[in-house]
């Protein structure tokens, strides 16, 4: 039986990036796509609990089914695995995201939320992002790297409890230098909100922000991307900071 | 100058738990509360980018100001630090959550999203949760533990890049055995959605789920809570699984 690959994203089911990813995945197995009906960027690991979810079926063949859901990327993964996949998926893919999910952005990303959910429910998962947030971004430069990584993960699996955060520089395929396994660069967003006044004179605040990551060290994802490499960061759904357990014990908290 | 403590939650500004936490925090310093106007459980680390945010001021004195925001808990932290705090907070607190955020729940929790955001922007942060999700839960058993931990963190700080996920058993204060520094128990949610049919004959899916955590090992948060201890798990906003970097390099990914 062919591998079954479940695909989602946070840019929405009609985004260009998820169409590219679906085409590549279809070379490896049967594909189920379950993705948010609208943009769900920045949804992180959020779940929808206050209202029910609806699903629209866009395509249904044995090799490829495509569904749109009015929930978050994590809702999409949970719902698809339980109700829309004909068998348990061998792999969950998310993306290709329009824009970077490197460094601290993994915290906020709906795409990476879906990937981490995959690992949390015991299915190997990989998120792909292109460093170009334009809706009309050219994804052709990504294709060889995405194909290579999907093939390797299907062949070798992943370390237990680990998923991959893959970011791809905005370069033609033949200018990409290779793939680097990295750690997250330390970074933060400054000046997160802009304050404005509406036509009735009342204040409102809208998310904006400036990405602040100076001199990322060799070995970090921001460094690799700046050098023209694809960055691959292993991420884990267990947030425990094990190294601090003894230190906190000694503080007699 | 007294310490400034910023408080948020995910149950909403009018929840009983945040009122208890605000009263305890006010013993230690000036307090700014910025919390979601409605329930925002399960919002994880999500941000609001598609629309602007509005804020309602509920109370404004030099010692205590209370604001309600129509965004997520992470929005509340970012917005309050930039626009509503008279100086940089010394500590961010979230909760007291109505219901557990132990184990895998830290992934989905809006309360813990806010806490991890605090650490990501360089401010010590602690999330408190009571193992009782009833809106009318009795928080009196939590008070001594919450007071003790706030005092210790203000006095000693926290290890760099580490925040605390504190869960408190549903017991009277004099039956709580003490505080244990723990790691997350491995657990998962099964049967996430229930499928039903609406009055017009169309299907919908609503979030539910069964928490699955059998025989949590000694040292894990679920174990400590079952024994009657307060569990404290150090968590980190860097999701990199450092131990896998060499292994992935050897796979020639």
């Amino acid at each position: 039986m062919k591998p079954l690959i479940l695909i989602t994203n946070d840019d929405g089911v009609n985004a260009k990036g998820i169409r590219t990813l679906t085409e590549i995945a279809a070379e490896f197995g049967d594909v189920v796509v379950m993705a948010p009906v609208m943009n769900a960027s920045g949804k992180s690991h959020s779940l929808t609990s206050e209202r029910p979810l609806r699903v629209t079926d866009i395509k249904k063949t044995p090799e490829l089914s495509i569904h749109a859901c009015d929930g978050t990327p994590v809702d999409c993964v949970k719902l698809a695995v339980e109700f829309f996949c004909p068998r348990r998926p061998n792999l969950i893919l998310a993306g290709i995201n329009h824009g970077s999910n490197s460094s601290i952005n993994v915290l906020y990303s709906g795409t990476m939320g879906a990937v981490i959910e995959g690992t949390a429910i015991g299915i190997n998962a990989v998120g792909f992002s292109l460093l170009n947030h334009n809706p009309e971004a050219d994804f052709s430069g990504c294709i060889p790297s995405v194909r290579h990584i999907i093939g390797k993960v299907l062949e070798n699996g992943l370390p237990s409890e680990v998923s991959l955060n893959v970011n791809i520089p905005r370069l033609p395929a033949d200018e990409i230098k290779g793939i680097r396994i990295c750690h997250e660069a330390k970074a933060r967003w400054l000046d997160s909100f802009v304050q404005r006044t509406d036509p009735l004179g009342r204040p409102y605040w809208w998310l904006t922000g400036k990405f602040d990551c100076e001199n990322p060290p060799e070995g970090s994802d921001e460094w690799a991307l700046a050098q023209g490499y694809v960055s691959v960061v292993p991420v884990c759904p267990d947030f425990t900071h094990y190294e601090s357990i003894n230190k906190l014990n000694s503080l007699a908290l």
Side-chain angles (χ1 to χ4, degrees), chain A residues 100 102-105 131 180 182-188 211-229 231 233:
Chain A
S100 173
S102 60
S103 177
I104 188 85
N105 299 305
L131 271 60
R180 288 276 183 140
C182 302
H183 62 83
E184 281 182 42
K186 306 246 173 282
R188 55 187 181 161
F211 186 63
D212 177 43
C213 181
E214 274 181 36
N215 302 318
E218 186 168 340
S220 70
D221 52 4
E222 292 294 330
W223 173 86
L225 291 160
Q227 303 296 316
Y229 291 97
S231 69
V233 175

Side-chain angles (χ1 to χ4, degrees), chain A residues 51 54 62 68 72 108 193 211:
Chain A
R51 61 171 177 82
R54 300 286 190 168
T72 67
Y108 309 103
F193 289 89
F211 186 63

Side-chain angles (χ1 to χ4, degrees), chain A residues 8-9 34-36 40 43-48 51 53 69-77 110:
Chain A
T8 191
N9 75 348
M34 171 71 80
K43 291 288 180 199
S44 184
H45 219 92
S46 65
L47 293 165
T48 304
R51 61 171 177 82
L53 298 178
C69 170
D70 63 351
T72 67
V74 171
D75 293 330
C76 288
V77 167

Side-chain angles (χ1 to χ4, degrees), chain A residues 5-9 18 21-22 25 31-35 92-95:
Chain A
I5 301 174
L6 171 62
I7 296 182
T8 191
N9 75 348
I18 198 170
L21 183 56
T22 302
V31 175
V32 173
V33 176
M34 171 71 80
I92 295 174
L93 302 176

